[in-house]
Amino acid sequence: GENVEQHPSTLSVQEGDSAVIKCTYSDSASNYFPWYKQELGKRPQLIIDIRSNVGEKKDQRIAVTLNKTAKHFSLHITETQPEDSAVYFCAASRTSTSYGKLTFGQGTILTVHP
Amino acid sequence: NAGVTQTPKFQVLKTGQSMTLQCAQDMNHEYMSWYRQDPGMGLRLIHYSVGAGITDQGEVPNGYNVSRSTTEDFPLRLLSAAPSQTSVYFCASSRQGSFTEAFFGQGTRLTVV
């Protein structure tokens, strides 16, 4: 089955700096890679996703890049703000057979210091 | 729409007790899943369902049962609770098809003593 590794496990940055979180996956047939943000005590919520036919996707201050050859994808947050502090999870799935299931990385605790 | 609703939010069980975590969605989603979240391990899939009457096991199914009699409801049953089942449990639902967003419930924090 699919295995997703996420690094780093914790990340501390100053407000205004950039933050990068990296994930690798094992199943070369995976074709959907969402990122979820989970604030303390809340539910995970989708912030951005990318499909395997796209190399990069941006949405305001966040972007995701995908390298299919190397089987890794990354989340980039620019101009970080204290409200970006949360746990971030990457995930992967092979949509043809996943039936909605996702394989998650271990999570990254991002702390943005004012 | 309420989205995905889980009850209860918090629960304490004694070892050996049984209970059911409830999950309901009002988005008419075909797919529903249960995950458990443990520190440093992300979210791991317990069971999932592709529609009413159809369920299957995920990565960590032992000690849990599910059923899906309606599109809206997907309860998770703990048969005989063990301390290793202390965790935060999330239910999720998504539309049938590719590249569809998974919507999560607010979670149930379960402690087994």
Side-chain angles (χ1 to χ4, degrees), chain B residues 66-77:
Chain B
V66 293
S67 61
R68 186 139 177 232
S69 57
T70 67
T71 299
E72 295 78 20
D73 300 300
F74 190 42
L76 178 72
R77 282 183 287 277

Side-chain angles (χ1 to χ4, degrees), chain B:
Chain B
N1 285 354
V4 181
T5 302
Q6 289 182 235
T7 55
K9 291 185 179 180
F10 302 95
Q11 182 71 49
V12 179
L13 287 180
K14 294 183 178 179
T15 298
Q17 287 185 318
S18 63
M19 78 160 294
T20 299
L21 279 62
Q22 301 292 342
C23 176
Q25 53 95 4
D26 62 359
M27 297 175 283
N28 204 32
H29 285 171
E30 293 82 3
Y31 300 156
M32 296 186 74
S33 305
W34 275 102
Y35 295 86
R36 60 176 288 173
Q37 182 178 17
D38 302 292
M41 302 186 74
L43 291 98
R44 293 181 293 166
L45 183 68
I46 304 172
H47 286 283
Y48 68 101
S49 169
V50 301
I54 306 171
T55 64
D56 205 346
Q57 297 180 351
E59 180 186 353
V60 288
N62 292 343
Y64 308 94
N65 274 359
V66 293
S67 61
R68 186 139 177 232
S69 57
T70 67
T71 299
E72 295 78 20
D73 300 300
F74 190 42
L76 178 72
R77 282 183 287 277
L78 280 70
L79 307 175
S80 177
S84 61
Q85 294 179 303
T86 294
S87 186
V88 180
Y89 292 85
F90 286 98
C91 177
S93 74
S94 59
R95 283 187 296 109
Q96 185 178 19
S98 301
F99 313 114
T100 60
E101 178 180 354
F103 292 86
F104 286 84
Q106 72 270 44
T108 296
R109 183 174 293 275
L110 175 69
T111 302
V112 182
V113 297

Side-chain angles (χ1 to χ4, degrees), chain A residues 36 38 43 89 99 101-102 105, chain B residues 35 37 48 90 102 104-105:
Chain A
Y36 283 81
Q38 184 182 28
R43 70 190 78 193
F89 292 99
Y99 305 112
K101 298 174 292 178
L102 295 168
Chain B
Y35 295 86
Q37 182 178 17
Y48 68 101
F90 286 98
F104 286 84

Side-chain angles (χ1 to χ4, degrees), chain A residues 6-11 21-22 86-89 106-110:
Chain A
Q6 181 173 346
H7 298 281
S9 56
T10 61
L11 181 58
I21 302 170
K22 299 181 179 181
V87 181
Y88 291 81
F89 292 99
Q106 295 86 345
T108 296
I109 301 172
L110 173 65

